[in-house]
Amino acid sequence: MKRKEQVHHEAKLLFKEKGYVGSSMRDLAQNIGIEASSLYNHVKSKEMLLQNICFDLADQFLKSIQEVNAQKYAKASDWIRHAMLNHLKVVVNNLEASSVFLNEWRFLTGDAMEEYLEFRKTYGGMYRTAIKNGTDKGEFRKDLNPNLAAINILSTMNWTSNWYQENGKDNIEDISKQFFDLILKGIKS
């Protein structure tokens, strides 16, 4: 692993373990086994590390949902099922980064914070649109609030980063199916 990649990898682990605020560049350097001053040869700042983690994962989430959008599903439930599976794959393939992305984003500042919030609005909006389309077509309950349903779906999937174990008995396809089945029972008309 190149030093810059090592710095980013160790930052994910450290931010997940201690949180962004509880982590220092000195901690990071110690985990890598270099002098703190040497870190700045590989990264501009601690905040830049947080931005890189957050936006690398945001890009993966966007790519995963763009794959679903490219399929042009006729039923909203099919879109949601595939979007959920792709989302969960990103989460479990990036457990440390997902934890940072979901819990430490609030420490972004300025343009990075605005960009992150816009990403969340856009990404969540795709779920809200699918749910509204399903409601409008009679696939889902008429009294369903698309915003609350989208928040519920995303929160359920995002919490996976806190408990999923790579060597566990359930694979991500099984987990995704169970989540989808539970959620669909709650929103189906």
Side-chain angles (χ1 to χ4, degrees):
M1 190 181 301
K2 293 181 181 176
R3 183 65 78 186
K4 188 172 183 175
E5 292 169 351
Q6 185 183 16
V7 169
H8 285 270
H9 175 73
E10 289 297 326
K12 291 174 203 173
L13 297 173
L14 186 63
F15 293 171
K16 180 181 180 185
E17 179 187 335
K18 290 186 165 188
Y20 177 76
V21 171
S23 302
S24 70
M25 293 297 268
R26 187 173 311 283
D27 295 332
L28 182 57
Q30 185 176 8
N31 288 1
I32 296 169
I34 62 174
E35 295 295 321
S37 58
S38 298
L39 268 179
Y40 295 100
N41 293 327
H42 307 286
V43 66
K44 189 175 177 181
S45 66
K46 186 171 98 167
E47 184 169 355
M48 189 60 66
L49 285 168
L50 180 61
Q51 288 177 20
N52 289 340
I53 293 167
C54 288
F55 291 112
D56 287 349
L57 207 61
D59 288 343
Q60 289 185 49
F61 281 125
L62 282 175
K63 286 177 187 168
S64 78
I65 210 163
Q66 287 167 348
E67 289 174 10
V68 176
N69 287 339
Q71 297 301 314
K72 308 286 186 211
Y73 294 103
K75 293 174 68 176
S77 57
D78 289 338
W79 185 95
I80 292 169
R81 181 168 44 90
H82 287 91
M84 287 177 67
L85 176 59
N86 281 9
H87 184 95
L88 284 168
K89 285 179 179 178
V90 172
V91 170
V92 301
N93 289 328
N94 302 278
L95 288 173
E96 291 85 9
S98 292
S99 182
V100 174
F101 176 86
L102 297 165
N103 298 310
E104 305 302 319
W105 64 269
R106 63 188 178 277
F107 299 108
L108 294 168
T109 60
D111 291 343
M113 175 61 90
E114 288 180 34
E115 186 178 343
Y116 182 87
L117 293 174
E118 185 60 32
F119 160 78
R120 284 178 53 147
K121 180 180 172 184
T122 301
Y123 190 81
M126 291 185 218
Y127 279 86
R128 286 187 294 278
T129 298
I131 293 163
K132 182 166 181 352
N133 289 342
T135 300
D136 291 347
K137 292 179 180 177
E139 189 178 350
F140 303 143
R141 295 180 2 218
K142 290 290 180 198
D143 65 339
L144 187 63
N145 178 324
N147 188 49
L148 290 178
I151 290 169
N152 183 298
I153 291 168
L154 290 166
S155 296
T156 298
M157 292 185 303
N158 290 341
W159 190 251
T160 305
S161 69
N162 292 316
W163 59 263
Y164 181 80
Q165 295 184 4
E166 294 176 73
N167 298 325
K169 65 179 183 172
D170 292 322
N171 67 42
I172 199 59
E173 286 81 9
D174 293 339
I175 292 168
S176 179
K177 182 182 179 335
Q178 288 182 37
F179 280 172
F180 177 74
D181 290 346
L182 287 168
I183 289 168
L184 189 63
K185 286 178 184 174
I187 65 175
K188 203 167 185 179
S189 61

